[in-house]
Amino acid sequence: MKLLLFDIDGTLLKPIYSGRQHIEAVLEQLCGKVISTEGVAFSGRTDPQIFEDTLQLASYSAVEIKELIPDALNLYSDIATYFPDEVELTNGVAELLESLESNKNVQLALLTGNIRVTAYRKLSAAQVDHLFPFGAFGCDHSDRAQLPEIAQIRAMTYCGKSFSGEDTVIIGDSVHDVTCGRGIGALSVAVATGFTSYHDLISENPSVILRDLTNISEFCTSIGI
């Protein structure tokens, strides 16, 4: 059995632009002034990292940032909502998930920089949240490289079996998705459906690189299922 760990933004879902607005609204409420996310990279980053980078650019000290982030994440979980009209699956994902759902040789799960509550809000808006019973999230660790092992531990609890690095597949659209699983020897599937170009993805030497997820046979063959 393979453990398939899907990223959300840019991979399962087309980029959602209201995310920046939510983060700016949280920080304005907490800090009492307008704070912009302009110049802050979101792709492949965890939510705690995004808040930290935004506050650093706004000239907050390390001590201030450490104190602000827990409150920021709590408030973010309250106000960041997503509706069906702003959430859309990337091309081919609906058909791919339908195929994988019935495949007894795979376990679907998440590996995302989103905190858990907003991850499932996004997937719920796209009506695919029920397909992902567990995962590893930005609220588990700010360093994405720590998330694959967390996902494996949760897979053991859920499935009652351990997954080796060779049996773990991380699917994502950013260079961070490609690199985060190297510590556990995971297979990486890079898909050029987000903000990172095909050229930039291939330069990170992913195990597999795909233009998109429209070819189910190509996807399954590439990961050995």
Side-chain angles (χ1 to χ4, degrees):
M1 178 180 278
K2 299 278 189 180
L3 174 62
L4 306 189
L5 301 174
F6 280 89
D7 172 57
I8 295 179
D9 299 288
T11 304
L12 290 174
L13 304 180
K14 294 181 179 180
I16 303 171
Y17 296 96
S18 60
R20 288 184 180 271
Q21 297 171 352
H22 291 318
I23 286 177
E24 289 173 352
V26 165
L27 293 178
E28 180 175 356
Q29 185 169 332
L30 286 179
C31 301
K33 63 179 180 180
V34 174
I35 295 180
S36 174
T37 58
E38 185 177 356
V40 176
F42 276 44
S43 182
R45 311 297 301 287
T46 65
D47 286 341
Q49 284 178 322
I50 292 169
F51 275 109
E52 181 178 353
D53 290 350
T54 304
L55 289 166
Q56 283 179 341
L57 283 178
S59 300
Y60 282 80
S61 70
V63 172
E64 290 171 321
I65 292 171
K66 185 176 181 179
E67 292 176 348
L68 281 167
I69 285 181
D71 290 337
L73 292 174
N74 286 335
L75 182 57
Y76 182 59
S77 70
D78 290 337
I79 73 169
T81 55
Y82 301 91
F83 301 98
D85 63 351
E86 63 179 322
V87 176
E88 183 179 359
L89 294 171
T90 56
N91 295 340
V93 164
E95 295 79 9
L96 175 62
L97 293 180
E98 182 179 1
S99 174
L100 293 175
E101 182 184 13
S102 60
N103 189 326
K104 302 303 182 183
N105 295 315
V106 302
Q107 174 60 57
L108 299 181
L110 299 169
L111 194 152
T112 174
N114 287 277
I115 59 174
R116 187 183 189 282
V117 64
T118 57
Y120 279 107
R121 280 179 189 157
K122 291 177 180 181
L123 295 179
S124 176
Q127 299 184 342
V128 294
D129 54 311
H130 63 286
L131 299 177
F132 300 93
F134 64 91
F137 308 91
C139 51
D140 293 318
H141 205 290
S142 62
D143 181 359
R144 199 180 190 97
Q146 304 300 316
L147 299 184
E149 186 173 0
I150 293 171
Q152 285 181 322
I153 292 169
R154 289 184 177 151
M156 175 64 183
T157 300
Y158 184 82
C159 301
K161 72 178 297 294
S162 62
F163 290 88
S164 67
E166 293 179 352
D167 292 331
T168 303
V169 185
I170 299 172
I171 305 102
D173 66 294
S174 78
V175 296
H176 302 289
D177 297 300
V178 173
T179 61
C180 72
R182 287 178 177 165
I184 62 165
L187 186 76
S188 59
V189 177
V191 289
T193 49
F195 290 118
T196 307
S197 70
Y198 186 91
H199 177 270
D200 286 344
L201 288 171
I202 204 169
S203 69
E204 293 294 333
N205 298 311
S207 309
V208 177
I209 185 161
L210 304 172
R211 294 286 181 183
D212 55 34
L213 294 170
T214 57
N215 190 324
I216 297 173
S217 177
E218 179 185 26
F219 176 85
C220 292
T221 300
S222 71
I223 63 172
I225 61 171

